[in-house]
Amino acid sequence: MKRIVGIVVALLAFAFLPASVMAQGSGTISGRVIDQATQAPVQAAQVVIVGTQRGAMTDQDGRYTITGVPAGTHELRVRRVGYGSTTQSVTVSDGGTATAEFSLATSATRLEEVVVNAVTGQEQRRVENGTNTGFIGVADLPKGPITKMADVLQGRVAGVTLQSVGGATGSGQRVRIRGANSISLSNEPLLYVDGVLVSNGKGGISVGGGDYSRLNDLNVEEIEDIEVLKGPAASAIYGSAAANGVLLITTKKGRVGAPVWRAYAEVGQTKDKNDYPLNFAALRRTVPGSTTEEFYCLPASGCDNPFDWVLFTTALFGPSAPFATCHNYQAALAAGTAGACTQDEVISFDFFRDDRTSPFVSGSRDKLGIGVSGGGDALTYFISGDREAENGVLRPNNLERVSLRSNLNARIGGSATAAVTAAYITSKHRRLGSDNNIFSPLIIGLTGPAQYLPGMETDTVGVAVGRAGSLFGPNYLDNQNFFADQFVDRFIIGANTNVTPRTWLRLNANAGLDYYGRSDEQGLDPNILPIGGEFDVGFRDVFRSNNYEWTSHASATGTFNPLTSLISTTTLGGSFGRSLFQQVECFGQAIPAGTKSCAAATTQFAVDETREELKTIGAFLRQELAFADRVFLSGSLRADNNSGLVRDVSGLSYYPSLNASWLMSDESFFPRAGFLSQFRLRAAWGRAGTRPGYGQAESLFGSRAIQRVGAETPALILTGTGNPALKVEKTTELEGGFDLGMFDNRVSAEFTAYTRSSKDALIQRKLAPSTGLTANVFQNLGEIENSGTEMGLNIQAIQSERVGLDIRFTASTLKNRIVELGEDIAPIQINRGRQQHREGFSAGGYFALPIKYNDANGDGKLSVAEVSVDTSKFLIVRNEAGGLDTLRLAFVGPLLPTNTQGLSMNLTLFKNLTISSLFERRGGNKQMNETEYFRCRTQHSNPFFGFCGAISNPNASLASQAAFIGSQFAQFGATPYGYMEDASFVKFRELAVRFGVPEGVGSRAGFLSGAAITLSGRNLKTWTDYTGLDPEINEGGGNAFTQAEFNTQPPVRTFNLRLDLKF
Amino acid sequence: MNHISAKRGLRAFPRLLLAGAFALPLVGCDTDEIVRVENPEELGPGATVNADAVPALVAGAVRQFEGGYSGLGDDAFVSASGVITDEFAWGDSFTTRFAADRRTIQLPVLGNISDVAFSRLQQSRMLAARASALVDQFEADLDDPDGMRSQLSTTEGYVYVTLSEGWCGGVPFSNVPPTGDIDPSQIEYGPALTTAAMNEAALPLFDAAIALDPTHELAMVGKARALLNLGRYNEAEAAVIDVGDTFVYHIEHSTNTSAQNNALSSLIDNGRYALANLEGGTTATGAALSPDINTDASNATAEGLNFRSAQDPRIPYVGPFACFTTSRRCWTYNNYPTFTADVPLASGVEARLIEAEAAMQRGDFVTMMAKINALRAQASALLPLLYPEQRQTFPAPTSGAVSLAPLTDPGIGSLDPVTARRNLLFRERAFWMFGTGHRQGDLRRLVRVYGLPPDSVFPSGPYFRAAGTNYGTDVAYPVPFTEETNNPEFDRAACLTSDA
C-alpha cells in the first residue's frame, strides 16, 4: 500500500507544481439558455469555457452562473442532448459579471454531447472522440414500460444485445456488446456508476434456472444517462478487464435553484400470454366399439388411485386394454406393415389454459418514489427514495426493492468541485424453482397427461406413488411450500474531487466502494412434502456472501495551447482496484418445523467457505490534440498488473489506443450541399484485456473430510489445476465510420464498421482425466474475431408547434468466429454437447448430426424410414496431416444474432400527449428448444402420460415429427438437430402513452408545477417462426455461452399506469 | 477560439513533462507485491511440502479412491456397476442412467455416469504418487512411514482393479511429476492398458503393500481380486489364505458432509435407482414383464437374478415406493438403509468365495461347497459385520434369527454340472457382495474368462422400463470423452464398451 500512496502523492505533487504560480484576477459569467422555437427555458444544459474544465449547468429556469473565471475574453459553448451546440465570445473583467444568453435549436446529431471518462474523470465531447459511443438518455425515456434496469439497454444501442434469462420476476440477462470475445471468461461489460466500478456478479443458490442480475439492482429512476463504450478502441484506458466494453452510468445531479420535488406512483399488472404446447395421445381401438371415455379409469380399480386414471393402453394393462397408442411414425407406415396402426382416437390436454390446472395467476407490480433536487452555487443536491414490488405470474415469485440515493455536488472556492454519491439498495427476492427443476410448474405441465385427471388440481399430499398426473412426483402447487429467497443489502458510495488550480490544469481523484451483502436461503419445513428424502424431513441451505469492489483513480490533466489553433490535453494518472468475494454456506436436514437456522439441523450438516480476491493496479498516460476544433487526435497507454497472474512470470500488460476524429464539414473545402449540414470521419484503434480469475494461475489444494476408523479426518486433495504461464487475454479493436447531419441537423446518421480480435485467448481447456489432475486448466491459446457494422438514424420527422415526431432506427451486424482454439485443443463442448467452441465457427455455435425428411406419400406423417441423415451438411475439416476429414456433424447456427434492428418512435401531439414505442428485431441465430427435446424423449418412455405433438398429434408439422424421430431412434444418435430452431423474431417491446397536464393547469392546482399520466405496456407482441416457448429466453443465464430454453418461463406481458408529479 | 495564453501553456508544458518523469519511475515499482493476494482456505503445492501435510495427503489419495468407488454422495463405481448389471434399475429421467441400465452407453461426448468416478480414481493415483514422494522426503518426521506406504500402494492397486472391472479394455494412465509445482505442461501421456494389463499392474502394488505389512488383509484380498480377473485361481486362493473370516474393510460413510453420504443409499432414497429383480429375458412380443412391475418370481428367461423375489436375508429391501419419476416403482435396498451405512470393499467372505472358486476350478467340489456352506452357516454373524446397519425387511421385518440353509452340490445329478456349479458360485457371490461393486467384474469374467455370451449373463432382450426398446450390448463403461480430445496417446478404438 505504501507504494500506491507514493504513486498517488507523486501524481498530486507533480500536478500541483504549476499551481505555485499565483492566480490572476477573475470574474463571473451568467446568463440564460432558452429553446429557440418555444422560447422555453432549457434546463440541464452544459455551459463551458472552451479549452478549460470550467463550466456550469442550467437550472430549471435555464439560468447558469460560472464563477472564478479568469479575466479576459473567453469562448463559451452550450450543449444539451437534443439540441445543437452553440458558442459565443464573452469578455470578463476582474471582479465583474459578464452576461451571455443562448438560444438553442433542436438537433438530431449528438456530436456536442459529452462523455465522461470514469478513469480519468475527464469530459470529452463526442465530436472529439474517434469511437462510436452509445448513449441512452435515461432521464428522458418514458419510465412506464421499463420494469428493470436491463429494459433500458434493450434495443436502444446498435451493437448491444441483451439475452434474457426468462420471464420470472427478478430474472436477469446477459449483456453482450459487439459479440463475445472470451471463450472461457466473462463476456459482460464493466459497469461504472458515477465513476465507481460496480459488480454484476451472480452465484448463490441454483433453483434450476432463472438466474438474476445485479445490474437490475440499479434504480432506473435515479439515472441520468448511460454511455456505452463498445470495446477496446474506446475502453483501452480501463485496462485489463475492459475488453467487453464499459457501461458508464451517470446518476442524476441537483441543479442550482429552488428545491424541485418529483414524485411518482405506478401500478401494473402482468399476465402470461404465451402459447404452450399440448399433451397428446393418439390411440387405436383394440376392443371394437370402445370409446375414449372408457380409458379414463380402470373399472376394476375403483378409480380411487391417481394411477388408475391413466391412458388405458396395452403398454400398461396388457392386450385386454381397449386402446393402444398409435404414434404418428407408426401411423405413417403402410397398412399391413409390421407396427402400422390407425389413429382412431386423439385426445389432448392444455395444462396451462385449463382453468382447473393452470398454474398462472395475474401478477402485479407497483412502484412509487419521491425525490428532491436543487441547491445553490456552492452546493447542489439530488435526494431520492423509491420502493417497488412485483409479484410474478407463477407462485411463489416476487421481488421487493427499496432504493435510496443522495448525490451532493459542491463547489469549493473558485477552482475545486467535490461530489459525493451514495446509494443504498435493499431487496428481497423470492425465486421460483424453474427450468431444470422438477418442481417447476412448467415441467410438470409439459410432461403431464393428455387428459385432465381428477386430483391434478389439488395438493394430494401423501399419495404413495406420487401425484396425479405428475411425471416426477411434485404437484404444480408444491413449489409454494419451498422458499428460495435472496436478500440483498447494497451500498454504492463514491467521492470525486476536481481541482483546477490553474486554468490549464485539472486534478481529479475518485474513490468508491460497491458493497453488497447477499443472503441466499432455501428450505422446506418438515412433513409438508412427504415425497421422500430431504423433502420429508425438511432442510435448510444458506449462502451468506459479501462482495466488495473498491475503485480508486487519481489523475492530472493539463490543457495547453502550443499553437493558436492547437489545444493539447495531457492526462497522467493511476488507479488501483480490489475485488473481494467472501461466502459461507451452511446446509442441514431434519429441521424442526418453523426453524430458520442451519443450527437446528440434525443431520447432513455441511459448511463451506469461499474467498476470492483480485487486485489490479494500473498507470496511464493520455494525450489529446485538437486542431482548430475540427481535427482531433488522441492516444493513450495504460499499464496494468493484477493478481490473476503468477508473480514474476507475466510482468505488466500494456493497453494502447489511438483515435482520430475529423469534422470535415467545418473545413473550407467541404462542399456546402444543401441537405448536408455536418459530416465527420472517425477512426479508432485500441487494446483492452480480460484478466484471469482467482486461482487460474496457481494449482490449489483444499481440505475435505473423510471418515476413517469412525473418526473424521482431514484429507488434502487437488481442487484446481493452475497454469503459471497465464497471461491476460488481449482484445484489439479497430473501428471506423462517419456521422452525418442533414437538413439542418434534423436528420442524423452514423455508420461504424469494426473488427476486433482477441489473442492469447484464455481457453479453459479440458485435461485428460488419466492425468489425475482436475478437469480444466486455463491456457492462453486461442484467437477469436468479431466484426460487424452499426448504423443509427435519427429523424426529427415533424417539428411543429402541435405535432412532433422523432424516429430512431438502429441496426447492427455481427460476425463472430473462433480463428484458433490452440494447438491440439479439440472443440470444446458445452450445453450437453449441443454447442461447441470450434475453430472456424462462431463461439458456442450449435452443432449436431443433421437429418432430413421426405414425406414420400404425402400423408402428413413421417415414418422412421422417411427420415435420414443429411450427409450433404456434414462438416469437412482439415486434419493435422493437411488432408480433409468429413465429420458426421453439421454447423447449425450461431447463438448470437448476426443482425439486429431497433426502431423507436416518439409522437408528440399538442405538446402534452406523447406516444412512444420500441420494436426490436433479431435474426440469424438459433435457439435450442430443449423443452421440447426433453419432453418428447421423456414422454415417449412413459406410457402413463401423454405425448408431445410430434409423436401423437396427427396435424404436427413434418419438421417436428422429423425432429422427434431424429432424437429418439438410435440410428440418428439422439440428435437434437431438429430442435435447434431459427430464433429470429420481431418484438413489440414497449408502448407508452403519456399525457402531461397542459401548462398552467399545474399552477392553478397550487403547489403543483407539473403532472403527467402514462399508460404503458411491455412485451406486447412477438412475431417469430420459433416453435418453442420463446426465442430469446435462456436456462443458462449465468453461463457465458449456454443458450437453450428448458422449461424456462417465457416473458410476461406488463401493463402499467403511472402518475408523475412535479412540485 | 481559445484565449488561454499560448506562451504560458508552453512554459507549463516542460514542467508537466518534468513532473511526469518524476512520477513514472514510481509506477515501475514492484506491482507484483501490491497485487499479491492470499487465500487461507486453499494451499498451493508448495504449502503441502512438509511432514505435517503428509497424513492429510495420504488421506486425500484414499478419499479420492473411495469417492470413485463408492461415491461422494453421487454416482460412482458401486452404483454404475450395479445399474449396468442386474443389481439396480433406472428410476429417474436422466439419460445417462437410462443408458447404463439399458446397456446402451451414451456416446462419450454426451457423458456417462461413470465419468466422474473415472476421474476420481485417476486423481487418487496421482495423489498417491505425490504422497509417496513426500513420505520418502519426510520419512524421519513421520510416525509410521511404512504404514503410509502400504496404504498408498494398496489404494493405487485398487484403482487399477476397479478401472479394469468397470471400464473398457483400453484405459490410459498418464502422469505428472510427483514433486514440485503442478504444471500441466509437464504431463506425460501414458499408453492405454488392457483389462489384463491393469490387473497385472495392480499385482506389484499389492505385493509391495504386503511386503511392508504382512498382515495387510485389504491388500491380500485386492491381490486375489486382480488374480481372479486374470483367471489365476490358485494364486488368488493363495493370496487370501491368511485373511480371516471376519475381516471386513469398509469404505466409511457419514452425514458429516453430504459428500460423505453413502451414495447408493442417497441415490436410492432419491428414487434414482431401484433394487432390480429378474432383469432381462426375452419373450416373443414386448417386454418380459409388465412394464415397471418386474415382480414375477418365475421369469425363466431372465438373465438377472431374483434379488427381490428370493427374499434372501443378504438382500433385505422395502417397497415399492415412487421412484424419482413417480410413475415408476422403486424398491429400496436395506443393507444401506441410511446415509451413514458403510460399504464393504473387501472381506473374509470375499476371501472364502475366492477359495471356493479356486476349488471349483480344480474340480474340488467338496471344498467348494464346504467353503460356501461355511459362510452360509455363519450368516447371522457375518451379515452384521458386513452391513452393520442392515435392516431385515422383505418388505415387512423378519422375525427370528437370520439363517441360510446349507446348499447341496448342484452338479451332482445334473446334466450340466459345470454350469450348475458355476451358477451357484456366482449366485453366492452376487448375494453376499450385492451392492459392493463386484457384480460387473463377475459378469465380465463370466464372458471373458468363462467364455459365456454377454447377453446370457447381462440383462438382454426387451428393456422393461421403456416400451419398445431393447437392452444394448455394452458391458463396460467408456473412458471419458475429454481423454479422447486431450490425450494424443489415447485410442478410442481400443476402448470397446461391448468387449468384456
Side-chain angles (χ1 to χ4, degrees):
Chain A
M1 275 309 281
K2 283 181 182 174
R3 290 186 188 277
I4 304 167
V5 172
I7 293 167
V8 173
V9 168
L11 283 170
L12 294 176
F14 97 78
F16 273 107
L17 277 177
S20 59
V21 180
M22 289 297 292
Q24 62 188 15
S26 64
T28 300
I29 304 174
S30 66
R32 192 165 186 245
V33 181
I34 58 171
D35 183 296
Q36 195 177 67
T38 66
Q39 302 295 300
V42 176
Q43 64 172 355
Q46 273 195 316
V47 187
V48 294
I49 300 171
V50 175
T52 75
Q53 318 289 345
R54 208 174 286 278
M57 187 95 76
T58 58
D59 63 16
Q60 66 264 31
D61 292 325
R63 299 190 183 282
Y64 71 94
T65 302
I66 308 172
T67 58
V69 181
T73 302
H74 300 277
E75 196 79 5
L76 213 57
R77 176 185 284 125
V78 181
R79 55 201 176 208
R80 169 74 165 92
V81 174
Y83 291 93
S85 82
T86 183
T87 60
Q88 64 174 280
S89 287
V90 60
T91 302
V92 179
S93 60
D94 185 8
T97 299
T99 302
E101 308 281 345
F102 291 88
S103 177
L104 301 185
T106 55
S107 170
T109 70
R110 300 161 46 236
L111 292 180
E112 296 300 326
E113 292 164 22
V114 169
V115 180
V116 181
N117 189 300
V119 173
T120 65
Q122 190 182 340
E123 291 184 352
Q124 191 180 29
R125 282 185 299 154
R126 201 175 303 277
V127 72
E128 299 168 11
N129 198 334
T131 60
N132 174 24
T133 303
F135 175 83
I136 304 170
V138 182
D140 296 330
L141 291 177
K143 299 298 187 305
I146 295 172
T147 59
K148 54 187 174 296
M149 182 65 192
D151 294 345
V152 171
L153 296 170
Q154 199 157 42
R156 295 183 213 277
V157 176
V160 177
T161 304
L162 264 77
Q163 296 178 287
S164 176
V165 167
T169 289
S171 63
Q173 300 74 27
R174 286 198 295 227
V175 183
R176 294 289 178 269
I177 304 177
R178 290 183 174 174
N181 304 305
S182 185
I183 285 180
S184 303
L185 298 177
S186 171
N187 283 288
E188 294 284 326
L190 290 182
L191 301 179
Y192 278 89
V193 176
D194 296 323
V196 178
L197 182 64
V198 301
S199 169
N200 189 20
K202 294 183 170 58
I205 293 175
S206 169
V207 293
D211 215 346
Y212 52 85
S213 164
R214 292 270 72 86
L215 172 71
N216 291 332
D217 286 346
L218 305 178
N219 182 9
V220 177
E221 307 289 341
E222 299 170 351
I223 293 172
E224 183 69 37
D225 58 54
I226 301 174
E227 299 282 347
V228 183
L229 308 186
K230 296 181 179 177
S235 62
I237 206 160
Y238 290 79
S240 59
N244 305 313
V246 181
L247 298 180
L248 299 175
I249 298 168
T250 304
T251 60
K252 291 176 178 172
K253 306 288 186 294
R255 288 161 192 150
V256 174
V260 177
W261 291 84
R262 293 174 197 275
Y264 68 90
E266 192 176 299
V267 291
Q269 188 185 54
T270 56
K271 278 190 178 295
D272 178 85
K273 290 291 182 183
N274 299 285
D275 293 326
Y276 295 89
L278 278 56
N279 298 321
F280 282 91
L283 303 156
R284 66 179 170 90
R285 292 190 191 92
T286 60
V287 176
S290 57
T291 63
T292 50
E293 285 73 19
E294 291 179 39
F295 64 75
Y296 282 151
C297 175
L298 193 64
S301 69
C303 303
D304 55 358
N305 185 315
F307 277 87
D308 298 331
W309 295 78
V310 294
L311 294 177
F312 196 2
T313 64
T314 54
L316 290 173
F317 302 110
S320 63
F323 289 95
T325 54
C326 179
H327 301 319
N328 285 336
Y329 62 88
Q330 297 165 322
L333 297 170
T337 309
C341 58
T342 303
Q343 295 172 326
D344 298 317
E345 299 275 356
V346 178
I347 59 167
S348 64
F349 183 62
D350 188 343
F351 179 87
F352 296 98
R353 293 291 170 251
D354 189 298
D355 289 342
R356 294 166 295 186
T357 55
S358 175
F360 290 114
V361 295
S362 282
S364 62
R365 53 176 281 108
D366 60 80
K367 189 173 181 182
L368 54 91
I370 188 165
V372 60
S373 64
D377 190 45
L379 178 73
T380 61
Y381 56 86
F382 170 81
I383 298 168
S384 70
D386 303 77
R387 179 216 177 255
E388 64 179 311
E390 183 173 312
N391 290 302
V393 296
L394 288 170
R395 293 163 293 179
N397 175 212
N398 51 58
L399 175 70
E400 290 177 37
R401 184 184 286 131
V402 173
S403 308
L404 304 173
R405 173 168 286 278
S406 168
N407 289 352
L408 302 176
N409 290 66
R411 180 172 293 283
I412 305 165
S415 61
T417 62
V420 177
T421 57
Y424 170 68
I425 302 136
T426 181
S427 64
K428 176 186 176 185
H429 179 197
R430 177 148 288 190
R431 302 172 67 203
L432 176 76
S434 62
D435 300 78
N436 193 2
N437 185 322
I438 60 167
F439 290 95
S440 160
L442 266 72
I443 204 168
I444 291 167
L446 291 170
T447 57
Q451 57 192 318
Y452 169 75
L453 301 181
M456 284 176 76
E457 75 280 30
T458 57
D459 191 0
T460 52
V461 172
V463 175
V465 288
R467 309 303 176 79
S470 172
L471 179 65
F472 295 111
N475 182 285
Y476 71 92
L477 301 172
D478 283 340
N479 62 358
Q480 296 183 54
N481 294 314
F482 285 95
F483 63 88
D485 292 333
Q486 184 179 80
F487 303 91
V488 171
D489 283 285
R490 185 169 190 171
F491 294 90
I492 303 172
I493 53 176
N496 184 296
T497 181
N498 284 297
V499 180
T500 312
R502 310 299 299 166
T503 54
W504 56 271
L505 176 65
R506 188 175 77 158
L507 308 176
N508 174 259
N510 180 28
L513 168 65
D514 169 30
Y515 162 81
Y516 66 78
R518 194 184 71 207
S519 180
D520 291 275
E521 304 179 10
Q522 180 174 249
L524 174 70
D525 277 346
N527 305 319
I528 288 181
L529 202 54
I531 60 172
E534 69 267 34
F535 304 119
D536 288 348
V537 297
F539 68 94
R540 182 167 173 80
D541 192 7
V542 178
F543 287 69
R544 293 263 158 80
S545 317
N546 293 307
N547 190 80
Y548 304 83
E549 291 282 353
W550 284 275
T551 307
S552 59
H553 303 293
S555 63
T557 301
T559 304
F560 313 101
N561 291 74
L563 301 170
T564 306
S565 59
L566 173 65
I567 301 173
S568 164
T569 305
T570 307
T571 304
L572 183 63
S575 65
F576 176 75
R578 179 184 177 217
S579 60
L580 174 65
F581 177 75
Q582 300 166 314
Q583 182 170 280
V584 176
E585 182 201 0
C586 74
F587 176 81
Q589 292 184 7
I591 58 173
T595 53
K596 294 287 182 286
S597 167
C598 285
T602 55
T603 184
Q604 297 290 305
F605 194 79
V607 293
D608 198 5
E609 212 176 331
T610 305
R611 177 190 166 93
E612 294 183 356
E613 184 175 5
L614 278 173
K615 292 178 184 174
T616 303
I617 189 166
F620 54 88
L621 177 67
R622 182 184 176 93
Q623 175 63 50
E624 296 159 72
L625 297 171
F627 298 95
D629 212 27
R630 292 196 290 274
V631 177
F632 307 91
L633 302 174
S634 68
S636 67
L637 178 67
R638 177 173 174 132
D640 260 13
N641 195 1
N642 74 81
S643 56
L645 310 173
V646 169
R647 298 175 64 200
D648 304 325
V649 173
S650 58
L652 296 174
S653 301
Y654 294 96
Y655 306 105
S657 76
L658 293 169
N659 73 60
S661 169
W662 183 12
L663 193 57
M664 220 172 172
S665 52
D666 278 11
E667 299 289 356
S668 56
F669 62 78
F670 193 81
R672 304 292 167 203
F675 69 95
L676 192 61
S677 44
Q678 208 165 45
F679 180 76
R680 180 173 77 121
L681 280 175
R682 52 184 157 74
W685 172 90
R687 178 179 296 157
T690 303
R691 64 188 176 190
Y694 172 78
Q696 290 169 2
E698 285 185 288
S699 295
L700 296 171
F701 284 81
S703 184
R704 302 288 185 271
I706 178 175
Q707 191 178 80
R708 308 202 68 192
V709 202
E712 297 298 335
T713 306
L716 279 175
I717 64 165
L718 186 68
T719 53
T721 304
N723 176 7
L726 225 50
K727 295 181 288 188
V728 169
E729 175 179 303
K730 289 180 180 169
T731 301
T732 306
E733 184 178 58
L734 174 65
E735 72 166 66
F738 60 83
D739 302 284
L740 292 174
M742 295 173 282
F743 306 108
D744 293 328
N745 288 339
R746 287 178 60 185
V747 176
S748 73
E750 57 190 40
F751 176 82
T752 306
Y754 67 89
T755 178
R756 59 165 65 162
S757 169
S758 299
K759 292 189 174 170
D760 288 335
L762 285 161
I763 306 287
Q764 190 183 29
R765 68 170 297 185
K766 301 286 182 188
L767 287 168
S770 69
T771 60
L773 303 177
T774 51
N776 306 299
V777 70
F778 278 83
Q779 280 187 266
N780 295 95
L781 293 169
E783 180 181 350
I784 305 171
E785 276 182 359
N786 286 278
S787 59
T789 57
E790 290 157 1
M791 193 267 254
L793 183 65
N794 296 302
I795 304 170
Q796 292 182 338
I798 305 172
Q799 285 293 324
S800 73
E801 200 166 320
R802 292 186 171 185
V803 181
L805 176 61
D806 295 338
I807 301 169
R808 175 162 174 77
F809 176 73
T810 61
S812 69
T813 63
L814 169 69
K815 184 179 181 186
N816 172 268
R817 186 172 75 102
I818 297 175
V819 180
E820 185 183 5
L821 275 177
E823 196 176 352
D824 297 330
I825 303 296
I828 296 168
Q829 314 270 340
I830 55 174
N831 186 16
R832 311 175 179 94
R834 317 274 192 253
Q835 293 172 255
Q836 294 187 14
H837 298 306
R838 178 180 279 274
E839 285 180 3
F841 297 92
S842 65
Y846 291 103
F847 291 83
L849 176 74
I851 55 170
K852 60 183 179 181
Y853 58 89
N854 177 25
D855 182 21
N857 59 6
D859 65 351
K861 296 187 180 67
L862 293 178
S863 67
V864 176
E866 288 174 318
V867 178
S868 58
V869 173
D870 187 354
T871 56
S872 69
K873 292 195 169 76
F874 281 179
L875 289 182
I876 300 173
V877 298
R878 192 164 295 283
N879 58 31
E880 288 179 4
L884 296 176
D885 288 338
T886 300
L887 306 180
R888 285 176 58 81
L889 201 64
F891 173 62
V892 186
L895 81 133
L896 285 171
T898 58
N899 65 90
T900 66
Q901 296 85 35
L903 176 67
S904 58
M905 290 181 284
N906 283 306
L907 173 65
T908 305
L909 300 172
F910 309 108
K911 297 184 181 177
N912 298 309
L913 181 65
T914 305
I915 302 169
S916 311
S917 60
L918 175 65
F919 293 82
E920 187 180 12
R921 181 192 173 278
R922 295 183 196 168
N925 61 318
K926 299 286 181 179
Q927 162 83 306
M928 176 65 204
N929 188 352
E930 195 75 41
T931 305
E932 197 68 357
Y933 179 86
F934 177 84
R935 191 168 92 101
C936 290
R937 280 177 59 85
T938 303
Q939 287 181 314
H940 190 248
S941 64
N942 283 277
F944 282 96
F945 288 92
F947 301 94
C948 70
I951 303 175
S952 285
N953 177 6
N955 299 316
S957 70
L958 293 176
S960 69
Q961 293 180 53
F964 164 70
I965 289 170
S967 72
Q968 181 65 25
F969 291 90
Q971 61 267 44
F972 304 113
T975 181
Y977 181 82
Y979 295 96
M980 295 169 175
E981 299 185 38
D982 182 1
S984 301
F985 66 78
V986 174
K987 290 203 174 193
F988 187 2
R989 299 273 193 204
E990 297 176 7
L991 176 67
V993 180
R994 180 182 186 273
F995 180 71
V997 176
E999 291 285 336
V1001 172
S1003 58
R1004 286 199 297 274
F1007 66 94
L1008 269 184
S1009 60
I1013 189 162
T1014 307
L1015 178 63
S1016 61
R1018 182 162 196 86
N1019 289 323
L1020 297 168
K1021 178 72 178 169
T1022 301
W1023 294 269
T1024 182
D1025 291 333
Y1026 180 74
T1027 66
L1029 303 181
D1030 188 87
E1032 65 171 335
I1033 54 177
N1034 185 16
E1035 64 156 327
N1039 302 317
F1041 285 95
T1042 299
Q1043 175 71 42
E1045 58 136 300
F1046 185 40
N1047 304 297
T1048 307
Q1049 186 189 329
V1052 293
R1053 184 175 299 169
T1054 304
F1055 285 107
N1056 269 349
L1057 183 65
R1058 176 180 169 114
L1059 177 66
D1060 282 278
L1061 299 174
K1062 179 181 168 188
F1063 45 92
Chain B
M1 286 302 297
N2 197 297
H3 292 266
I4 298 171
S5 163
K7 193 177 172 186
R8 192 188 311 133
L10 286 170
R11 251 198 338 259
F13 193 63
R15 287 195 189 115
L16 187 63
L17 290 177
L18 184 67
F22 175 71
L24 280 174
L26 290 177
V27 179
C29 62
D30 183 4
T31 55
D32 281 340
E33 186 60 34
I34 295 170
V35 299
R36 191 163 64 89
V37 298
E38 300 272 349
N39 184 350
E41 293 141 32
E42 292 185 283
L43 306 169
T48 64
V49 185
N50 57 72
D52 291 340
V54 174
L57 279 166
V58 173
V62 174
R63 191 254 190 194
Q64 290 309 91
F65 164 71
E66 295 185 351
Y69 193 93
S70 182
L72 298 175
D74 54 1
D75 269 310
F77 178 66
V78 167
S79 59
S81 64
V83 74
I84 198 173
T85 62
D86 53 353
E87 288 186 330
F88 300 109
W90 174 54
D92 65 13
S93 60
F94 281 43
T95 57
T96 46
R97 296 191 177 107
F98 170 56
D101 197 29
R102 204 160 66 95
R103 294 180 55 213
T104 308
I105 299 302
Q106 294 203 136
L107 292 173
V109 67
L110 297 175
N112 281 288
I113 55 171
S114 51
D115 289 353
V116 172
F118 183 92
S119 296
R120 286 189 191 136
L121 292 168
Q122 294 279 13
Q123 285 163 14
S124 169
R125 198 174 57 81
M126 183 277 291
L127 289 167
R130 200 165 183 85
S132 291
L134 289 170
V135 170
D136 293 345
Q137 186 176 346
F138 297 103
E139 180 167 14
D141 301 320
L142 300 174
D143 287 342
D144 181 15
D146 280 349
M148 290 178 176
R149 288 190 182 101
S150 64
Q151 204 172 107
L152 291 167
S153 202
T154 302
T155 299
E156 203 174 347
Y158 267 101
V159 167
Y160 281 99
V161 170
T162 307
L163 288 169
S164 82
E165 292 182 4
W167 282 262
C168 65
V171 176
F173 293 84
S174 305
N175 295 293
V176 289
T179 57
D181 283 345
I182 291 175
D183 185 347
S185 67
Q186 297 182 39
I187 293 171
E188 289 181 12
Y189 293 104
L193 299 185
T194 63
T195 301
M198 284 185 266
N199 284 291
E200 293 282 4
L203 292 177
L205 292 162
F206 289 125
D207 284 339
I210 295 165
L212 288 163
D213 177 5
T215 66
H216 207 308
E217 291 170 295
L218 177 62
M220 294 173 191
V221 178
K223 179 182 178 182
R225 186 165 164 176
L227 289 164
L228 217 55
N229 286 334
L230 292 165
R232 289 153 61 174
Y233 303 103
N234 292 336
E235 292 173 75
E237 181 181 34
V240 293
I241 202 78
D242 291 330
V243 176
D245 286 0
T246 58
F247 160 71
V248 185
Y249 179 91
H250 281 118
I251 294 175
E252 295 176 48
H253 292 286
S254 78
T255 54
N256 181 45
T257 62
S258 57
Q260 290 174 270
N261 292 173
N262 180 312
L264 192 57
S265 175
S266 174
L267 291 163
I268 290 175
D269 187 60
N270 236 323
R272 306 289 178 178
Y273 297 117
L275 176 61
N277 195 54
L278 291 164
E279 263 204 76
T282 55
T283 59
T285 57
L289 302 164
S290 298
D292 201 37
I293 306 299
N294 68 343
T295 51
D296 190 342
S298 58
N299 176 21
T301 61
E303 292 84 13
L305 298 179
N306 56 339
F307 291 120
R308 289 204 314 272
S309 49
Q311 305 264 313
D312 189 299
R314 290 170 291 188
I315 307 179
Y317 67 92
V318 286
F321 305 108
C323 301
F324 181 87
T325 297
T326 53
S327 56
R328 303 193 192 107
R329 300 177 194 191
C330 278
W331 286 262
T332 298
Y333 175 51
N334 244 356
N335 273 344
Y336 305 141
T338 72
F339 294 174
T340 61
D342 298 337
V343 173
L345 170 65
S347 65
V349 171
E350 184 178 358
R352 299 294 85 79
L353 290 168
I354 290 169
E355 291 168 353
E357 189 169 351
M360 181 183 77
Q361 283 292 329
R362 64 173 176 268
D364 182 358
F365 306 120
V366 173
T367 300
M368 167 192 158
M369 292 309 300
K371 296 279 184 188
I372 288 172
N373 282 328
L375 290 175
R376 293 176 67 90
Q378 299 177 74
S380 62
L382 293 175
L383 284 173
L385 292 175
L386 290 167
Y387 308 104
E389 297 196 26
Q390 183 188 65
R391 293 176 190 163
Q392 282 290 326
T393 52
F394 297 99
T398 50
S399 57
V402 170
S403 64
L404 289 170
L407 301 172
T408 56
D409 181 354
I412 297 172
S414 169
L415 294 174
D416 185 1
V418 172
T419 299
R421 288 177 178 128
R422 184 194 64 220
N423 286 354
L424 174 70
L425 178 82
F426 277 84
R427 181 183 175 86
E428 284 300 289
R429 284 180 63 88
F431 275 76
W432 277 113
M433 297 190 286
F434 185 91
T436 63
H438 286 78
R439 183 67 172 158
Q440 187 184 6
D442 277 0
L443 295 190
R444 289 181 71 186
R445 281 201 300 126
L446 285 169
V447 177
R448 187 179 68 248
V449 184
Y450 285 81
L452 299 177
D455 283 355
S456 70
V457 293
F458 282 89
S460 63
Y463 178 60
F464 76 107
R465 277 200 162 156
T469 63
N470 289 322
Y471 283 95
T473 58
D474 288 317
V475 299
Y477 286 101
V479 169
F481 179 70
T482 47
E483 191 74 33
E484 181 178 329
T485 52
N486 294 286
N487 178 353
E489 303 292 323
F490 178 66
D491 178 11
R492 174 64 70 193
C495 178
L496 298 176
T497 53
S498 58
D499 190 347

